[in-house]
């Protein structure tokens, strides 16, 4: 398993947190998602053989948020 911490702009509330967690939770290969609104970050644990970091970033972007790193 791989881990990545992404800086994400645009998340402001519990609904934002749930939207990102739900979207990433539905991606094959993603094992866990932790959203920290205060730090504007998303920590993802994933199987790199099943999903790429770019796919994860695209999923967050598709939800309407901007991935900074």
């Amino acid at each position: 398993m791989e881990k990545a911490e992404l800086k994400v702009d645009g998340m402001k509330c519990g609904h934002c947190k749930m939207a990102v967690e739900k979207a990433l939770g539905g991606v094959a290969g993603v094992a866990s998602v932790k959203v920290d609104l205060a730090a504007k970050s998303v920590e993802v644990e994933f199987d790199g053989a099943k999903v790429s970091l770019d796919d994860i970033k695209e999923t967050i972007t598709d939800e309407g948020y901007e991935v900074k790193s």
Side-chain angles (χ1 to χ4, degrees):
M1 287 291 183
E2 298 179 45
K3 283 188 178 182
E5 183 173 339
L6 305 169
K7 295 295 181 187
V8 180
D9 273 351
M11 300 185 302
K12 296 179 173 53
C13 63
H15 178 268
C16 298
K17 179 179 188 277
M18 288 176 47
V20 171
E21 288 175 344
K22 183 178 179 183
L24 289 175
V27 174
V30 173
S32 69
V33 180
K34 182 180 175 187
V35 175
D36 185 335
L37 291 175
K40 296 183 180 181
S41 69
V42 177
E43 186 177 294
V44 185
E45 186 175 1
F46 63 99
D47 182 345
K50 294 182 180 178
V51 64
S52 72
L53 188 55
D54 285 341
D55 291 335
I56 290 168
K57 289 178 180 181
E58 185 176 330
T59 300
I60 295 169
T61 301
D62 288 348
E63 286 299 310
Y65 306 102
E66 184 179 356
V67 179
K68 292 290 192 178
S69 63

